[in-house]
Amino acid sequence: MDSLALEQARGWVAEARQIFVLTGAGISAESGVPTFRDALTGLWERFDPEELATEEAYRRQPALVWQWYQHRRELVAAARPNPAHHALAVLARLKSMTLVTQNIDGLHQKAGSEQVVELHGNLFANKWLDGCGRCDTVPPIPGDPPRCAICGAMMRPGVVWFGEDLPRVARFRADHAAESCDLCLVVGTSGLVYPAAALPGVAKENGARVIVVNPKPSALDETADIVLPAPAGECLPLLWPQAV
Ligand code: BJW
């Protein structure tokens, strides 16, 4: 990593009055959680996550998609936050900051971050698909999603699939954070999924400096004033010394 760029980024964090942090799957990679666009492994290697994460896929193959989420729930339940998650929890105590994540893994909260804005929901939440309003669960057939005993509706994970609107309050808080920050720190996202990927551009248009932390090139590099090409768990603790 270029030490001049690192030094400049440290200075920008120190000077910042209002920080907006946008995180993606890469921040949890060092916790052992595969990123969304990593190739799937084991039983799942034949499947494309972009094709599983839709309501259409769920309606077509509910057991398959439900089992994919159950597999990921087990994996994430065993994962622990890494130094990048911890560093952001420390930063929130030092600075005025809004932490917006696309992640559904809850690892920021496990590291002690509060008021995390979850743009894409949470892996451990459930909701009903076409529920009757009085839905009540019956024990599921193993492997199948639970169904409502009254109307037969299926339970589904409380995440945001492609083509679905983001939770309104989370969207509002994220937009406000992007519009009102003077520093935008983007960590571990490919910058391919909208509307989240548009937020750093909004910050920049409103005069903020933009720092991207990602070991590989991303679609947000052209928006960035500084790109730090390093793993988040190594890089973030260097950006504010109190996090080391
Ligand atoms: C490291 C690292 C280390 C590795 N340290 N880094 C405008 C233009 C084009 C398309 C659209 C548009 N607006 C909307 C769309 C459609 C669509 C979209 O964006 N499609 C694109 C793919 C083209 N968007 C939507 O459908 C959204 N909904 C919507 O817009 O609704 C409109 C509407 C309005 C009103 C009514 C109805 C509808 C919804 C998007 C939902 C996204 N959901 C998912 C799945 C969640 C559940 C699940 O996980 O199963 O969210 S998709 C998936 O991508 C997941 C992620 O949060 C999201 C972003 O991925 P992320 O985090 O960037 O991960 P990766 O894997 O892509 O990248 C990881 C990065 O980490 C890499 O760069 C690595 O290098 C890096 N890395 N190790 C730091 N150690």
Side-chain angles (χ1 to χ4, degrees):
M1 191 170 23
D2 175 351
S3 58
L4 274 179
L6 181 64
E7 209 42 54
Q8 188 172 31
R10 281 168 68 118
W12 287 3
V13 173
E15 283 168 20
R17 298 166 67 88
Q18 187 64 45
I19 305 181
F20 157 50
V21 181
L22 175 67
T23 66
I27 196 168
S28 299
E30 290 154 85
S31 294
V33 181
T35 68
F36 192 79
R37 288 172 179 78
D38 270 343
L40 298 182
T41 53
L43 282 176
W44 298 101
E45 69 187 7
R46 289 184 296 119
F47 299 99
D48 174 357
E50 296 231 5
E51 282 171 20
L52 293 174
T54 69
E55 184 180 318
E56 195 194 6
Y58 193 51
R59 286 188 189 282
R60 210 174 37 238
Q61 294 183 288
L64 175 82
V65 176
W66 182 257
Q67 282 168 35
W68 182 50
Y69 280 95
Q70 294 296 82
H71 161 75
R72 292 170 67 202
R73 283 172 171 168
E74 284 166 22
L75 203 147
V76 166
R80 294 288 161 259
N82 67 55
H85 298 104
H86 288 299
L88 288 174
V90 169
L91 185 63
R93 294 198 282 276
L94 302 172
K95 292 280 182 181
S96 177
M97 172 186 133
T98 305
L99 175 53
V100 176
T101 189
Q102 298 168 82
N103 298 347
I104 57 174
D105 59 27
L107 288 180
H108 286 302
Q109 292 90 331
K110 270 195 190 169
S113 285
E114 291 170 2
Q115 298 185 341
V116 179
V117 179
E118 293 183 312
L119 283 179
H120 294 162
N122 191 287
L123 183 57
F124 297 97
N126 282 313
K127 56 188 184 183
W128 294 103
L129 183 65
D130 302 332
C132 58
R134 295 181 300 131
C135 284
D136 194 9
T137 325
V138 286
I141 300 166
D144 270 0
R147 284 182 183 271
C148 169
I150 300 165
C151 68
M154 288 190 289
M155 199 171 260
R156 55 156 284 184
V159 299
V160 181
W161 282 329
F162 287 112
E164 295 182 335
D165 206 1
L166 275 57
R168 210 165 50 89
V169 173
R171 180 74 204 271
F172 176 82
R173 290 182 61 204
D175 286 343
H176 178 71
E179 285 158 11
S180 56
C181 68
D182 58 0
L183 179 69
C184 168
L185 182 58
V186 181
V187 186
T189 178
S190 57
L192 294 174
V193 175
Y194 288 81
L199 293 168
V202 171
K204 185 154 185 133
E205 278 164 24
N206 282 277
R209 293 160 162 168
V210 179
I211 302 172
V212 164
V213 177
N214 194 320
K216 295 204 181 133
S218 83
L220 292 170
D221 289 1
E222 59 191 42
T223 307
D225 298 293
I226 298 178
V227 177
L228 299 172
E234 290 174 24
C235 183
L236 296 197
L238 301 176
L239 285 178
W240 43 99
Q242 299 88 338
V244 180

Coordinates of all heavy atoms in Angstrom, one line a residue, residues 62-94:
P62 N -38.4 -23.2 -3.7 CA -38.3 -22.7 -2.4 C -37.4 -23.5 -1.5 O -36.6 -23.0 -0.7 CB -39.8 -22.8 -1.8 CG -40.5 -23.6 -2.9 CD -39.8 -23.6 -4.1
A63 N -37.4 -24.8 -1.6 CA -36.5 -25.6 -0.7 C -35.0 -25.3 -1.0 O -34.2 -25.2 -0.1 CB -36.8 -27.1 -0.9
L64 N -34.7 -25.2 -2.2 CA -33.3 -25.0 -2.6 C -32.8 -23.6 -2.0 O -31.8 -23.5 -1.4 CB -33.2 -24.9 -4.1 CG -31.8 -24.6 -4.6 CD1 -30.9 -25.8 -4.6 CD2 -31.8 -24.0 -6.0
V65 N -33.6 -22.6 -2.3 CA -33.2 -21.2 -1.8 C -33.2 -21.2 -0.3 O -32.3 -20.6 0.3 CB -34.1 -20.2 -2.5 CG1 -33.8 -18.8 -1.9 CG2 -34.0 -20.2 -4.0
W66 N -34.3 -21.8 0.3 CA -34.3 -21.8 1.8 C -33.1 -22.5 2.4 O -32.5 -22.0 3.3 CB -35.6 -22.5 2.3 CG -35.8 -22.5 3.8 CD1 -35.6 -23.5 4.6 CD2 -36.2 -21.4 4.6 NE1 -35.9 -23.2 5.9 CE2 -36.2 -21.9 5.9 CE3 -36.6 -20.1 4.3 CZ2 -36.6 -21.0 7.0 CZ3 -36.9 -19.3 5.4 CH2 -36.9 -19.7 6.7
Q67 N -32.7 -23.6 1.8 CA -31.5 -24.3 2.3 C -30.2 -23.5 2.1 O -29.3 -23.6 2.9 CB -31.4 -25.7 1.6 CG -32.4 -26.7 2.2 CD -32.6 -27.9 1.4 OE1 -31.6 -28.4 0.8 NE2 -33.8 -28.5 1.3
W68 N -30.2 -22.8 1.0 CA -29.0 -21.9 0.8 C -28.9 -20.9 2.0 O -27.8 -20.7 2.5 CB -29.1 -21.2 -0.5 CG -27.9 -20.3 -0.9 CD1 -26.6 -20.7 -0.9 CD2 -28.0 -19.0 -1.4 NE1 -25.9 -19.6 -1.3 CE2 -26.7 -18.6 -1.6 CE3 -29.0 -18.1 -1.6 CZ2 -26.4 -17.3 -2.0 CZ3 -28.7 -16.8 -2.1 CH2 -27.4 -16.4 -2.3
Y69 N -30.0 -20.3 2.3 CA -30.0 -19.3 3.4 C -29.7 -20.0 4.8 O -29.0 -19.5 5.6 CB -31.3 -18.5 3.4 CG -31.2 -17.4 2.4 CD1 -31.8 -17.6 1.1 CD2 -30.6 -16.2 2.7 CE1 -31.7 -16.6 0.2 CE2 -30.5 -15.2 1.7 CZ -31.0 -15.4 0.5 OH -30.9 -14.4 -0.5
Q70 N -30.3 -21.2 5.0 CA -30.0 -21.9 6.2 C -28.5 -22.2 6.3 O -27.9 -22.1 7.4 CB -30.8 -23.3 6.3 CG -32.3 -23.1 6.4 CD -32.7 -22.4 7.7 OE1 -32.7 -21.2 7.7 NE2 -33.1 -23.1 8.7
H71 N -27.9 -22.6 5.2 CA -26.4 -22.9 5.2 C -25.7 -21.6 5.5 O -24.7 -21.7 6.3 CB -26.1 -23.4 3.8 CG -24.7 -23.3 3.4 ND1 -23.7 -24.2 3.9 CD2 -24.0 -22.4 2.6 CE1 -22.5 -23.8 3.4 NE2 -22.7 -22.8 2.6
R72 N -26.1 -20.5 5.0 CA -25.4 -19.2 5.3 C -25.6 -18.8 6.7 O -24.8 -18.2 7.3 CB -25.8 -18.2 4.2 CG -25.3 -18.6 2.8 CD -25.9 -17.7 1.8 NE -25.5 -16.3 1.9 CZ -26.2 -15.3 1.4 NH1 -27.3 -15.5 0.8 NH2 -25.7 -14.1 1.5
R73 N -26.8 -19.1 7.2 CA -27.1 -18.7 8.6 C -26.1 -19.5 9.6 O -25.6 -18.9 10.5 CB -28.5 -19.1 9.0 CG -29.5 -18.1 8.4 CD -31.0 -18.5 8.6 NE -31.8 -17.3 8.3 CZ -33.1 -17.4 8.1 NH1 -33.8 -18.5 8.3 NH2 -33.8 -16.3 7.8
E74 N -25.9 -20.7 9.3 CA -25.0 -21.5 10.1 C -23.6 -21.0 10.0 O -22.9 -20.8 11.0 CB -25.0 -23.0 9.7 CG -26.2 -23.7 10.2 CD -26.4 -25.1 9.5 OE1 -25.5 -25.7 9.0 OE2 -27.6 -25.5 9.4
L75 N -23.2 -20.6 8.8 CA -21.8 -20.1 8.6 C -21.6 -18.8 9.3 O -20.6 -18.6 10.0 CB -21.6 -20.0 7.1 CG -20.3 -20.0 6.5 CD1 -20.4 -20.6 5.1 CD2 -19.8 -18.5 6.4
V76 N -22.6 -17.9 9.2 CA -22.4 -16.6 9.8 C -22.6 -16.6 11.3 O -21.9 -15.9 12.0 CB -23.5 -15.6 9.1 CG1 -23.6 -14.3 9.9 CG2 -23.1 -15.3 7.7
A77 N -23.4 -17.6 11.8 CA -23.6 -17.7 13.2 C -22.3 -18.0 13.9 O -22.0 -17.6 15.1 CB -24.7 -18.7 13.6
A78 N -21.4 -18.7 13.2 CA -20.1 -19.2 13.8 C -19.1 -18.1 13.6 O -18.0 -18.2 14.1 CB -19.7 -20.5 13.2
A79 N -19.3 -17.1 12.8 CA -18.3 -16.1 12.5 C -18.1 -15.0 13.6 O -19.1 -14.7 14.2 CB -18.6 -15.4 11.1
R80 N -17.0 -14.5 13.7 CA -16.7 -13.5 14.7 C -16.2 -12.2 13.9 O -15.6 -12.3 12.9 CB -15.5 -13.9 15.6 CG -15.9 -15.1 16.5 CD -16.9 -14.7 17.6 NE -17.6 -15.8 18.2 CZ -18.9 -16.1 17.9 NH1 -19.5 -15.5 17.0 NH2 -19.4 -17.2 18.5
P81 N -16.5 -11.0 14.5 CA -16.0 -9.8 13.9 C -14.5 -9.8 13.8 O -13.8 -10.4 14.6 CB -16.5 -8.7 14.8 CG -17.4 -9.3 15.8 CD -17.2 -10.8 15.7
N82 N -14.0 -9.1 12.8 CA -12.5 -9.0 12.6 C -12.1 -7.6 12.9 O -12.9 -6.7 13.3 CB -12.2 -9.5 11.2 CG -12.7 -8.5 10.1 OD1 -12.4 -7.3 10.2 ND2 -13.5 -9.0 9.2
P83 N -10.8 -7.3 12.9 CA -10.3 -6.0 13.3 C -11.0 -4.8 12.5 O -11.0 -3.7 13.0 CB -8.8 -6.0 13.0 CG -8.5 -7.5 13.1 CD -9.6 -8.2 12.6
A84 N -11.4 -5.0 11.3 CA -12.1 -3.9 10.6 C -13.4 -3.6 11.2 O -13.8 -2.4 11.4 CB -12.3 -4.4 9.1
H85 N -14.2 -4.6 11.6 CA -15.5 -4.3 12.3 C -15.2 -3.6 13.6 O -15.9 -2.6 14.0 CB -16.3 -5.6 12.6 CG -16.7 -6.4 11.4 ND1 -16.0 -7.6 11.0 CD2 -17.7 -6.3 10.5 CE1 -16.6 -8.1 10.0 NE2 -17.6 -7.3 9.6
H86 N -14.2 -4.1 14.3 CA -13.9 -3.5 15.6 C -13.4 -2.0 15.4 O -13.8 -1.1 16.2 CB -12.8 -4.3 16.4 CG -13.4 -5.6 16.9 ND1 -14.4 -5.7 17.8 CD2 -13.0 -6.9 16.6 CE1 -14.7 -7.0 18.0 NE2 -13.9 -7.7 17.3
A87 N -12.6 -1.8 14.4 CA -12.1 -0.4 14.2 C -13.2 0.5 13.9 O -13.2 1.7 14.4 CB -11.1 -0.4 13.0
L88 N -14.3 0.1 13.2 CA -15.4 1.0 12.9 C -16.2 1.3 14.2 O -16.7 2.4 14.4 CB -16.3 0.4 11.8 CG -15.7 0.5 10.4 CD1 -16.5 -0.2 9.4 CD2 -15.4 1.9 10.0
A89 N -16.3 0.3 15.1 CA -17.0 0.5 16.3 C -16.3 1.5 17.2 O -16.9 2.4 17.8 CB -17.2 -0.8 17.1
V90 N -14.9 1.5 17.1 CA -14.1 2.5 17.8 C -14.3 3.9 17.2 O -14.5 4.9 17.8 CB -12.6 2.1 17.8 CG1 -11.7 3.3 18.3 CG2 -12.4 0.9 18.6
L91 N -14.3 3.9 15.8 CA -14.4 5.2 15.1 C -15.7 6.0 15.5 O -15.7 7.2 15.6 CB -14.3 5.0 13.6 CG -14.3 6.3 12.8 CD1 -13.0 7.1 13.1 CD2 -14.3 6.0 11.3
A92 N -16.7 5.2 15.7 CA -18.0 5.8 16.0 C -18.0 6.5 17.4 O -18.8 7.4 17.7 CB -19.1 4.8 16.0
R93 N -17.0 6.0 18.2 CA -16.9 6.7 19.6 C -16.0 7.9 19.5 O -16.1 8.8 20.3 CB -16.3 5.7 20.6 CG -17.3 4.5 20.9 CD -16.9 3.8 22.1 NE -15.8 2.9 22.0 CZ -15.9 1.6 21.5 NH1 -17.1 1.2 21.2 NH2 -14.9 0.9 21.4
L94 N -15.2 8.0 18.4 CA -14.3 9.2 18.2 C -14.9 10.3 17.4 O -14.5 11.5 17.5 CB -13.0 8.7 17.5 CG -12.2 7.6 18.2 CD1 -11.1 7.1 17.3 CD2 -11.7 8.1 19.5

